[in-house]
Amino acid sequence: MAFTINNLKDNPNVVIKEQLGGFTVIEYKEDLSSTSMAEAEANYFMSRSNMRNKQLMIEINNSEVMLSAGAMQYMIGNIEMTSGVKGVGGLMRNIISSAATGTSAIKPLYKGTGTIMLETTYKYLWLIDVDNDHIVIDDGMFLACETTLDVSVAARKNVSSAVLGGEGLFNLSARGKGIIALEAPIPSEEAVVVELQNDVLKVDGNFALMWSNSLDFTVEKSGKTRMGSAVSGEGLVNVYRGTGMVWLAPLMNYKNSIFQAGPTS
């Protein structure tokens, strides 16, 4: 069995942004398929604003990966796809966890030898090597991973974190050793990583994208007293306490407020 993919990695309009194991992030410099002046204008400004189409390529060699449902664009080689669901009980568990975490109920498995191309996206693709660790991921970011990782639902350790913090009761988590690909709202270069050693991080807003499962996550008043919280203008803050790491998207809330407000007169 042999195949060759032409005009992909060797395409002058393609940039290899990152490679980790069998995972490769491809970025298209420009959209060359404009069919109208409006499309051409939009494509021009999008490319100049770092808004470019990206695509994940996964090359497997007698191995197995898990994908988000509907993520596969095409695959080449001796690859078998299964639903990844074991019986009716497994399907019900997946449906419940998908409703809780905002992810698809069925995450298909691809096993064998060959190449899998995922659908293009304007979001940013992160490749993370989970090295005997346990990380919690914000809702909707999961894209693909090696099945050497145990991907499951992590429940909040404190109900107040869900009720008051604008977060769900559950998040997807990845534990063990392997590569995971995430679809993030910001480039990895923009993420701020805070390392805690038996310390506390307080965040005004839910813009933490990932954090170590070892951290206790709660929602607390920003000040010791009600008056102190009122004076600070913050009120409630998300608190990460203990030893571990938190990945923050510092510009995400600012961008959301700008776009939600719309143009000013």
Side-chain angles (χ1 to χ4, degrees):
M1 180 187 67
F3 61 86
T4 302
I5 304 177
N6 298 309
N7 201 34
L8 185 62
K9 287 185 176 181
D10 57 338
N11 189 320
N13 192 46
V14 165
V15 175
I16 305 300
K17 294 292 290 184
E18 188 178 1
Q19 192 162 5
L20 188 61
F23 290 62
T24 302
V25 175
I26 291 171
E27 183 178 272
Y28 296 88
K29 297 178 185 177
E30 295 180 277
D31 186 345
L32 304 177
S33 56
S34 301
T35 58
S36 68
M37 289 292 292
E39 284 187 7
E41 184 179 14
N43 288 335
Y44 174 83
F45 286 108
M46 287 165 68
S47 64
R48 296 305 179 271
S49 301
N50 196 36
M51 191 175 179
R52 301 185 178 95
N53 255 315
K54 303 162 194 72
Q55 193 169 23
L56 182 64
M57 169 190 279
I58 304 177
E59 296 167 290
I60 57 177
N61 184 12
N62 195 27
S63 55
E64 186 179 57
V65 293
M66 176 190 295
L67 268 60
S68 177
M72 192 270 288
Q73 187 182 70
Y74 63 89
M75 60 183 181
I76 312 168
N78 185 20
I79 301 174
E80 179 185 1
M81 190 270 284
T82 61
S83 67
V85 176
K86 297 180 179 179
V88 177
L91 177 60
M92 292 304 298
R93 285 192 296 272
N94 284 9
I95 290 174
I96 293 171
S97 65
S98 69
T101 62
T103 62
S104 57
I106 297 176
K107 297 179 178 62
L109 304 178
Y110 296 79
K111 183 177 182 180
T113 298
T115 297
I116 306 167
M117 298 298 299
L118 276 64
E119 293 282 357
T120 59
T121 178
Y122 280 110
K123 290 186 178 181
Y124 299 93
L125 301 180
W126 293 12
L127 300 182
I128 299 170
D129 186 5
V130 182
D131 188 7
N132 293 319
D133 206 347
H134 191 180
I135 59 173
V136 183
I137 306 157
D138 197 28
D139 293 349
M141 287 179 58
F142 174 81
L143 186 59
C145 73
E146 295 178 317
T147 55
T148 53
L149 285 172
D150 176 20
V151 176
S152 58
V153 173
R156 296 290 186 183
K157 296 178 182 178
N158 189 308
V159 176
S160 70
S161 65
V163 177
L164 301 175
E167 303 278 1
L169 282 168
F170 304 92
N171 281 95
L172 209 64
S173 74
R175 177 173 54 190
K177 187 176 180 63
I179 298 169
I180 186 168
L182 304 178
E183 199 173 21
I186 64 167
S188 57
E189 299 89 339
E190 197 174 277
V192 173
V193 183
V194 179
E195 296 187 45
L196 298 174
Q197 290 290 335
N198 195 27
D199 214 326
V200 181
L201 169 66
K202 297 183 178 181
V203 180
D204 179 27
N206 56 341
F207 53 93
L209 300 180
M210 285 192 309
W211 56 93
S212 300
N213 188 65
S214 56
L215 294 170
D216 288 322
F217 175 70
T218 59
V219 176
E220 302 173 8
K221 296 176 183 177
S222 59
K224 293 184 178 179
T225 65
R226 184 175 299 176
M227 180 62 72
S229 297
V231 171
S232 70
E234 302 297 339
L236 298 172
V237 291
N238 292 336
V239 179
Y240 301 83
R241 181 178 283 107
T243 297
M245 301 172 69
V246 183
W247 287 257
L248 299 173
L251 300 182
M252 194 163 66
N253 278 10
Y254 166 75
K255 292 175 182 176
N256 289 342
S257 65
I258 291 294
F259 293 126
Q260 289 170 3
T264 57
S265 56

